[in-house]
Amino acid sequence: MRHAIRLAQRAQEQGEVPIGAVLIKDNRVIAEGWNIPIAAHDATAHAEVIAIRKAGQILENYRLIDTTLYVTLEPCVMCMGAISHSRIRRLVFAATDPKRGAVCSALSLSAAPFLNHVVEWQGGVLEAECSTLLRDFFRAKR
């Protein structure tokens, strides 16, 4: 998660919402990403999606079996869809997102019966640190 936090800080330095994601397989980093929707002119350029896209290219497979995704904020609906479709086994996130979180907050898609894959998840890892990073970012923007 500390690596994901460093990536979130990179996003912040670029004027993006500070969210970072790291995908792990067999105890090594396969891919990483940070929010870049403003720079990329792409609403889908969330940290999770960037990491998933890179991992698919690296592993030459859209199915990211037996991987764990670490993210600094609870994923949104779009990202949970991508996580499920890519068959990521486990999701670990830091801060919950009461307004848009789609794992356990606003929605509970981690085990939705209409999805073809159940994602194991754990929230709250380094939550205070990531919440502070996000809160400070939005305070500075206002």
Side-chain angles (χ1 to χ4, degrees):
M1 188 61 76
R2 294 238 179 254
H3 185 74
I5 292 170
R6 286 190 295 276
L7 297 171
Q9 291 166 335
R10 188 177 294 178
Q12 182 174 12
E13 291 165 5
Q14 297 172 0
E16 303 276 3
V17 176
I19 300 172
V22 179
L23 192 77
I24 306 292
K25 183 176 176 72
D26 299 327
N27 293 316
R28 61 172 223 209
V29 174
I30 298 298
E32 60 187 32
W34 58 91
N35 269 18
I36 58 166
I38 297 167
H41 309 288
D42 180 357
T44 69
H46 289 195
E48 301 94 322
V49 172
I50 300 299
I52 289 168
R53 287 176 181 163
K54 287 179 181 179
Q57 294 299 308
I58 290 164
L59 297 175
E60 297 181 338
N61 196 337
Y62 75 97
R63 291 186 174 182
L64 306 177
I65 307 295
D66 295 326
T67 59
T68 299
L69 182 65
Y70 291 86
V71 188
T72 56
L73 181 66
E74 179 182 359
C76 69
V77 171
M78 174 185 69
C79 292
M80 275 307 293
I83 290 165
S84 176
H85 287 295
S86 63
R87 311 298 199 282
I88 290 172
R89 181 180 56 82
R90 185 167 178 254
L91 167 68
V92 180
F93 63 89
T96 56
D97 186 349
K99 292 182 182 177
R100 289 167 291 283
V103 178
C104 61
S105 295
L107 292 171
S108 296
L109 296 181
S110 57
F114 57 84
L115 291 175
N116 60 351
H117 174 69
V118 175
V119 178
E120 298 172 29
W121 64 273
Q122 176 185 356
V125 176
L126 299 178
E127 182 172 16
E129 189 172 338
C130 292
S131 294
T132 299
L133 181 66
L134 285 158
R135 193 175 314 109
D136 291 350
F137 172 81
F138 286 112
R139 272 195 194 122
K141 285 283 187 192
R142 293 183 184 119

